[in-house]
């Protein structure tokens, strides 16, 4: 079975400072990894994904994430946070073995960027 | 490109009533998913369709939930009868193929059961 852990319910950061939202995963075989953002009363918006290749993935709105196979992690990062980045962030994994191609999500991390 | 359309946006019903949600995926997307997102939790897959066939419904409470995707395009998810614990946001997503790396989500339907 595949699973995702987001150990922090909330992350607070000052605008202009770097931010990190943590994610670890468990899956059989090589994973597909995703980050989504959710604003209030909105659906999930895709930020970035890791399928294969370079471990550092760059995505939308200046976000990036680093795939670390040995630590089974896929932390989301941004060099300089904006107040508008405040939202709920979900990490998700899809295993490459087994039937179907469903995404398994973490419980989410609320990011709060303050002035 | 038009996104994944869902309706209604909000629905309030009493327990034991029935409710239906509709989803129209991106044109040409063969795979359609319904996810349930309970407050404070991540989305959980309820059912996955490939064209009009069911690929995975292992987490669908089949005694009260049903879903169909006639003609392999739009889909409906029904709950009958609803329970208080069904209060959640129901998200529809679609992807072009079976690769499982190009999901697009709709805005969701927020269901409140009172």
């Amino acid at each position: 079975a595949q699973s995702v852990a987001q150990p922090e319910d909330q992350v607070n950061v000052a605008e202009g400072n770097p931010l990190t939202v943590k994610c670890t995963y468990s899956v059989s075989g090589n994973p597909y990894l995703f980050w989504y953002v959710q604003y209030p009363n909105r659906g999930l918006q895709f930020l970035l994904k890791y399928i294969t290749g370079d471990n550092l993935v760059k995505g939308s709105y200046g976000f990036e994430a680093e795939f670390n196979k040995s630590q089974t992690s896929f932390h989301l990062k941004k060099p300089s946070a904006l107040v508008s980045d405040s939202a709920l962030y979900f990490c998700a994994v899809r295993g490459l073995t087994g039937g179907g191609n469903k995404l398994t999500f973490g419980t989410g991390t609320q990011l709060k960027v303050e002035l | 490109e038009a996104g994944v359309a869902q309706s209604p946006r909000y629905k309030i019903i009493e327990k034991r009533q029935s409710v239906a949600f509709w989803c129209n995926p991106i044109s040409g997307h063969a795979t359609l998913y319904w996810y349930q997102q309970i407050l404070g939790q991540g989305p959980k897959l309820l059912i996955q369709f490939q064209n009009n066939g069911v690929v995975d419904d292992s987490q669908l409470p089949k005694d009260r939930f049903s879903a169909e995707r006639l003609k392999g395009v739009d889909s409906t998810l029904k709950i009958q009868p609803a329970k208080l614990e069904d209060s959640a946001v129901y998200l529809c997503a679609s992807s072009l193929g079976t690769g499982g790396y190009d999901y697009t989500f709709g805005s969701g339907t927020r269901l409140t059961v009172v």
Side-chain angles (χ1 to χ4, degrees):
Chain A
Q2 54 196 39
S3 64
V4 173
Q6 294 182 243
E8 303 154 317
D9 290 337
Q10 182 162 321
V11 170
N12 297 321
V13 64
E15 188 175 51
N17 284 359
L19 69 86
T20 298
V21 182
K22 296 180 180 178
C23 171
T24 59
Y25 66 90
S26 174
V27 70
S28 297
N30 294 321
Y32 287 172
L33 292 158
F34 303 79
W35 276 102
Y36 287 87
V37 60
Q38 187 173 41
Y39 295 95
N41 300 315
R42 302 284 294 276
L44 294 170
Q45 296 180 34
F46 171 79
L47 278 179
L48 50 81
K49 65 187 176 190
Y50 171 82
I51 304 299
T52 187
D54 195 348
N55 289 342
L56 183 63
V57 178
K58 294 188 182 296
S60 306
Y61 313 119
F63 283 93
E64 58 188 29
E66 185 166 13
F67 171 61
N68 187 317
K69 188 172 183 178
S70 63
Q71 297 186 8
T72 62
S73 67
F74 190 57
H75 301 330
L76 181 70
K77 299 182 179 183
K78 187 174 182 180
S80 179
L82 299 172
V83 172
S84 57
D85 294 329
S86 298
L88 185 59
Y89 290 81
F90 288 98
C91 180
V93 66
R94 183 223 150 177
L96 296 183
T97 59
N101 50 15
K102 68 178 182 183
L103 288 176
T104 297
F105 287 84
T107 52
T109 298
Q110 186 70 47
L111 173 66
K112 186 174 182 181
V113 182
E114 301 166 312
L115 290 170
Chain B
E1 150 180 279
V4 175
Q6 289 189 247
S7 66
R9 288 297 308 276
Y10 306 93
K11 190 74 176 180
I12 301 175
I13 62 172
E14 295 182 349
K15 59 183 179 183
R16 291 186 290 274
Q17 286 187 323
S18 63
V19 64
F21 313 127
W22 175 81
C23 171
N24 190 19
I26 291 175
S27 177
H29 278 198
T31 309
L32 185 147
Y33 315 80
W34 283 102
Y35 282 83
Q36 180 192 55
Q37 185 181 8
I38 294 173
L39 186 64
Q41 300 180 20
K44 179 186 77 172
L45 180 71
L46 292 176
I47 189 167
Q48 176 186 340
F49 292 94
Q50 180 71 24
N51 296 311
N52 61 350
V54 175
V55 174
D56 183 350
D57 64 356
S58 57
Q59 297 192 86
L60 186 73
K62 298 180 186 63
D63 58 333
R64 297 183 300 105
F65 285 66
S66 64
E68 60 182 10
R69 191 184 184 197
L70 300 176
K71 301 180 182 179
V73 182
D74 56 351
S75 174
T76 56
L77 176 70
K78 297 179 181 178
I79 308 175
Q80 182 179 11
K83 293 185 176 182
L84 296 176
E85 59 261 36
D86 298 332
S87 295
V89 175
Y90 291 84
L91 294 165
C92 180
S94 68
S95 63
L96 181 60
T98 59
Y101 52 83
D102 61 342
Y103 309 87
T104 302
F105 283 83
S107 297
T109 295
R110 181 177 297 276
L111 173 67
T112 303
V113 182
V114 298

